[in-house]
């Protein structure tokens, strides 16, 4: 008796913990859940910070194109320096010299490298933004599939509980018949085995539901949520399926195109490796002692232009151009591969939708026939006109076709999500251009 009470106490504690967890979780709609994923998913936050880093990296990379100013100073102290006096004698004395200067330097672009370098840096940022948009498209699609899997899992719990209810009722009828010696003990054993199997399926269904809820929590960044109470109805087709739309709006296609464009700019920039450089500077010396210990001397302003013309670079420019040329070819091949994948994704997703739609209709007819068969078989068994093995077969088949029908509806949701993902519907609605970045981030304040 004590052992039974201990088991009941443990079960009550477990149920209390699960009920507290369910109470703490927030019931959310699909739109609310996807918004929480976009805002709170740590992987997306990490990717977004990388995009911001790329933006400020562009601003930092163009800093050498602007004038630079610097203040410098130096001092020296020499002891026992020998010096000749006006009288012609030699004496030892200590000597100190110092000077300060202010310099303004500007690198003058006479070969057009600054423009090319800035352009390739901007294209790098836009590529990073396109990659982020592609991550959003993939992750939000995965989040929606997880949401509908949770709804499916909850419906599956209800289905398996209904099957368990049927098995228990049939077991009650069998027990009554056994007490009346209308059926052999074998029928009772089979009936009890059916109940045990149904209980195991209910336990499994609950575990699946909890696991899916854990996945939902991970996608939101740790916020516990559950889907709002809604049935898993047959979804309506709400996707504009167009290859042109997919190629135009898929962020992975945009990223591949930007990689090709950036490669061409980098090749032009690399080809200018032997271009001459011109640097201008203005220097002013406000303090100096002795007055002529620096150049320019105290109170003077000096200006200079320095022209550097490379003669040999060890073939660095030549092989650099060949390197970037091969990278362009690789980027062009990757673009073609991405476009082919888009076509394949769209075709497969469309075929999966058509298959799921046809499967749902077929399974629905099977469920209708199986329900009627089970109803007649149960009636005949309860009236003593049917064999138990026929009832068990009818129950097993009915459970399977009902589960298959539920799975077919879930397959329609999965196919629909894949169609939305294939045309880029989950990606942010933006061009991801540098102009948008300047508006979004500004100067970093």
């Amino acid at each position: 008796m004590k052992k039974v009470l201990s088991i009941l106490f443990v079960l009550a504690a477990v149920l209390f913990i699960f009920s507290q967890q369910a109470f703490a979780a927030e019931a959310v709609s699909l739109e609310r859940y996807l918004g929480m994923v976009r805002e709170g998913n740590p992987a997306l936050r990490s990717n977004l910070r990388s995009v911001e880093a790329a933006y400020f990296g562009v601003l930092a990379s163009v800093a050498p194109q602007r004038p630079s100013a610097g203040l410098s100073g130096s001092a020296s102290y020499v002891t026992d320096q020998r010096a000749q006096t006006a009288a012609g004698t030699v004496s030892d004395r200590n000597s100190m010299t110092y000077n300060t200067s202010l310099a303004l330097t500007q690198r003058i672009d006479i070969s057009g490298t600054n423009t090319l370098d800035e352009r390739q840096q901007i294209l790098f940022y836009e590529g990073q933004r396109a990659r982020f948009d592609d991550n959003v498209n993939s992750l939000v699609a995965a989040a929606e599939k997880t949401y509908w899997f949770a709804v499916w899992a909850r419906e599956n719990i209800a289905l398996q509980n209904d099957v368990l209810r049927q098995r228990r009722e049939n077991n009650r009828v069998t027990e009554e018949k056994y007490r009346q010696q209308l059926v052999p003990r074998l029928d009772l054993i089979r009936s009890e085995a059916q109940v045990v199997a149904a209980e195991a399926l209910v336990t499994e269904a609950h575990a699946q539901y909890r696991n899916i809820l854990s996945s939902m929590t991970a996608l939101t960044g740790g916020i516990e949520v559950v889907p709002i109470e809604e049935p898993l109805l047959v979804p309506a087709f709400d996707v504009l399926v167009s290859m042109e739309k997919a190629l135009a709006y898929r962020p992975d296609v945009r990223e591949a195109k930007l990689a090709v464009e950036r490669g061409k700019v980098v090749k032009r920039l690399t080809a200018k490796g032997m271009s001459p450089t011109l640097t201008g500077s203005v220097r002013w010396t406000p303090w100096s002692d002795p007055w002529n210990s620096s150049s320019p001397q105290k109170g003077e302003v000096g200006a200079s232009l320095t022209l550097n013309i490379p003669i040999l670079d060890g073939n660095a420019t030549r092989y650099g151009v060949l390197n970037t040329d091969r990278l362009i070819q690789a980027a062009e091949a990757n673009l073609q591969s991405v476009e082919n994948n888009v076509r394949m994704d769209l075709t497969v997703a469309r075929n999966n939708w058509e298959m799921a739609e046809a499967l749902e209709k077929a399974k629905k007819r099977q469920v209708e026939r199986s329900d009627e068969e089970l109803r007649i078989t149960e009636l005949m068994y309860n009236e003593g006109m049917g064999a138990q093995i026929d009832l068990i077969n009818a129950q097993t088949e009915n459970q399977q076709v009902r589960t298959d029908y539920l799975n077919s509806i879930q397959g329609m949701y999965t196919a629909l999500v894949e169609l939305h993902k294939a045309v880029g519907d989950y990606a942010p609605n933006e061009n991801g251009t540098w102009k948008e970045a300047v508006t979004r981030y500004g100067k970093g304040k």
Side-chain angles (χ1 to χ4, degrees), residues 92-166:
D92 295 335
R93 68 180 181 87
N94 299 332
S95 175
M96 179 176 181
T97 62
Y98 69 88
N99 68 81
T100 59
S101 62
L102 179 65
L104 181 67
T105 305
Q106 171 67 61
R107 191 177 65 185
I108 303 171
D109 185 18
I110 60 175
S111 58
T113 57
N114 285 355
T115 302
L116 292 174
D117 182 58
E118 183 175 358
R119 179 59 184 160
Q120 68 93 9
Q121 293 285 351
I122 289 174
L123 288 171
F124 174 76
Y125 162 79
E126 292 179 348
Q128 291 291 99
R129 186 71 194 186
R131 182 175 301 177
F132 168 75
D133 290 350
D134 185 51
N135 290 336
V136 173
N137 189 49
S138 299
L139 188 65
V140 175
E144 180 167 349
K145 283 196 286 188
T146 304
Y147 181 91
W148 291 119
F149 268 117
V151 177
W152 165 86
R154 189 164 56 196
E155 291 286 313
N156 187 49
I157 290 175
L159 189 155
Q160 301 305 330
N161 278 323
D162 186 58
V163 170
L164 177 59
R165 179 193 59 78
Q166 292 177 350

Side-chain angles (χ1 to χ4, degrees), residues 112-330:
T113 57
N114 285 355
T115 302
L116 292 174
D117 182 58
E118 183 175 358
R119 179 59 184 160
Q120 68 93 9
Q121 293 285 351
I122 289 174
L123 288 171
F124 174 76
Y125 162 79
E126 292 179 348
Q128 291 291 99
R129 186 71 194 186
R131 182 175 301 177
F132 168 75
D133 290 350
D134 185 51
N135 290 336
V136 173
N137 189 49
S138 299
L139 188 65
V140 175
E144 180 167 349
K145 283 196 286 188
T146 304
Y147 181 91
W148 291 119
F149 268 117
V151 177
W152 165 86
R154 189 164 56 196
E155 291 286 313
N156 187 49
I157 290 175
L159 189 155
Q160 301 305 330
N161 278 323
D162 186 58
V163 170
L164 177 59
R165 179 193 59 78
Q166 292 177 350
R167 301 286 174 85
R168 284 174 174 171
E169 176 62 21
N170 293 330
N171 184 60
R172 185 192 65 79
V173 172
T174 303
E175 287 177 343
E176 182 65 25
K177 287 186 175 185
Y178 179 71
R179 280 195 294 269
Q180 297 177 9
Q181 298 182 351
L182 298 177
V183 295
R185 179 168 175 76
L186 179 60
D187 282 10
L188 182 60
I189 293 174
R190 286 173 177 169
S191 177
E192 291 174 346
Q194 289 291 99
V195 173
V196 172
E199 289 174 344
L201 290 175
V202 170
T203 303
E204 181 182 352
H206 278 283
Q208 287 178 334
Y209 184 54
R210 291 194 298 269
N211 290 341
I212 295 172
L213 291 183
S214 297
S215 299
M216 292 181 66
T217 300
L219 287 169
T220 59
I223 303 175
E224 295 185 0
V225 294
V226 296
I228 59 175
E229 292 292 338
E230 58 179 332
L232 194 68
L233 302 176
V234 176
F237 188 80
D238 60 351
V239 187
L240 177 60
V241 180
S242 169
M243 191 67 68
E244 292 74 17
K245 176 186 175 183
L247 293 175
Y249 291 100
R250 280 269 294 253
D252 52 345
V253 177
R254 188 170 85 237
E255 180 188 2
K257 291 179 179 178
L258 289 169
V260 173
E261 184 179 354
R262 181 171 181 266
K264 293 178 180 179
V265 175
V266 171
K267 180 179 179 180
R268 292 169 57 193
L269 179 63
T270 305
K272 294 181 178 292
M274 293 288 289
S275 299
T277 59
L278 181 63
T279 304
S281 65
V282 178
R283 182 179 295 273
W284 172 50
T285 304
W287 299 288
S288 179
D289 184 29
W291 63 272
N292 60 351
S293 63
S294 64
S295 177
Q297 297 176 358
K298 180 180 179 180
E300 292 182 345
V301 177
S304 66
L305 282 175
T306 303
L307 177 65
N308 180 37
I309 302 176
I311 298 176
L312 295 174
D313 66 350
N315 289 327
T317 300
R318 176 191 175 192
Y319 291 120
V321 170
L322 291 174
N323 172 263
T324 55
D325 181 70
R326 298 306 185 273
L327 291 177
I328 292 172
Q329 295 178 27

